[in-house]
Amino acid sequence: MSDRYRCILLFGAPGAGKGTQGKILGHIPGFFHLACGDVFRSLDLTSPLGRKFMEYSSRGELVPDELTVEMWKQNMHAQTVLSLFKPAQDLLILDGIPRTTTQAKALEKHLEVLMVLHLVCPDEKEMMHRMRRRALKENRLDDADEKVIRRRFEVYHRETAPVLGFYPKSIVHEVPATGSPAMVLMKVLDMVAPLQDHHFRNPLNA
Ligand code: AMP
């Protein structure tokens, strides 16, 4: 099934560090990082889709599945056409998608999921603290408001956490996401480097 993108899913609650780890991995040749939230934020916020995104994200809610999957598909296609992402060589690191089991099902025909890396931070207070810091640094309105942050956690527990059950247990791995980004990175690399090495030695279409 070589027409599916080989990928690793970065999974975890808001503030667990998916974006931080994803960005670092994205700088390593042979990985291509795509964060669904970043794609949404890069939209023209006065366009119909941009306005929809603002409407949902400002409340801490998820953008409806169909819109999200469609936008994701178009973005992946564009990245591939522009050769920013080269599926034959690059291992895709997806962050922030799928966030519902409906999305997971819709992505099944497009993805060969090699691993789900679950960044686990048992301390919700610590994650909220990280989000408030991020709100100031990145000017993110959805992480600045206490009520919206709480809503994001509720949505995570209700809609996103069940996505873990969609994938075989054998490919779901937990990584403690406490400590400095560099310490977490060491554990993340332990998990993902062998997969990248395998992809490197056995590229698609070879
Ligand atoms: P993030 O940057 O991943 O925290 O995402 C910020 C916001 O973008 C979320 O709160 C949602 O409103 C929206 N979003 C990002 N990814 C998805 C997704 N896979 N499904 C639905 N909404 C999403």
Side-chain angles (χ1 to χ4, degrees):
M1 291 251 228
S2 58
D3 53 343
R4 293 190 303 167
Y5 305 128
R6 278 185 191 158
C7 75
I8 295 170
L9 304 183
L10 286 182
F11 199 87
K18 303 183 294 294
T20 302
Q21 295 301 320
K23 274 194 196 94
I24 303 172
L25 292 179
H27 281 97
I28 301 174
F31 282 126
F32 182 82
H33 169 237
L34 187 116
C36 193
D38 287 347
V39 178
F40 274 129
R41 276 183 291 278
S42 72
L43 293 171
D44 171 359
L45 297 180
T46 63
S47 69
L49 185 56
R51 279 205 295 266
K52 271 263 176 274
F53 163 65
M54 281 308 287
E55 178 191 330
Y56 287 95
S57 65
S58 63
R59 298 197 304 247
E61 311 258 336
L62 296 179
V63 177
D65 291 328
E66 213 173 308
L67 276 181
T68 301
V69 170
E70 194 46 44
M71 186 213 54
W72 177 83
K73 276 200 285 194
Q74 286 180 15
N75 195 277
M76 287 306 307
H77 179 69
Q79 308 272 7
T80 313
V81 169
L82 293 171
S83 292
L84 296 169
F85 169 48
K86 302 181 187 71
Q89 296 147 38
D90 299 336
L91 200 52
L92 178 62
I93 306 280
L94 276 185
D95 139 15
I97 189 167
R99 254 172 153 117
T100 65
T101 44
T102 306
Q103 291 178 16
K105 278 183 205 141
L107 294 187
E108 233 187 339
K109 56 179 175 292
H110 304 287
L111 298 178
E112 183 188 345
V113 180
L114 304 178
M115 182 182 282
V116 181
L117 207 59
H118 181 193
L119 295 175
V120 185
C121 178
D123 185 354
E124 279 199 3
K125 273 209 187 105
E126 163 67 19
M127 286 191 280
M128 288 187 187
H129 176 68
R130 289 182 189 180
M131 289 166 81
R132 275 187 229 104
R133 222 172 32 207
R134 175 168 78 184
L136 293 175
K137 224 170 100 192
E138 298 175 14
N139 205 10
R140 279 189 56 169
L141 294 177
D142 58 339
D143 288 345
D145 183 317
E146 194 72 28
K147 231 172 59 199
V148 178
I149 293 183
R150 289 196 186 284
R151 183 80 191 124
R152 271 161 64 76
F153 276 98
E154 278 166 27
V155 170
Y156 173 77
H157 290 302
R158 196 187 62 224
E159 302 196 39
T160 305
V163 172
L164 280 174
F166 181 81
Y167 296 101
K169 278 200 172 62
S170 55
I171 66 163
V172 179
H173 295 275
E174 292 196 350
V175 169
T178 40
S180 70
M183 287 306 282
V184 178
L185 178 66
M186 286 210 293
K187 295 173 209 144
V188 168
L189 281 175
D190 252 356
M191 307 300 292
V192 302
L195 293 180
Q196 195 204 35
D197 192 53
H198 183 265
H199 184 61
F200 183 72
R201 291 171 199 278
N202 306 279
L204 292 173
N205 315 326

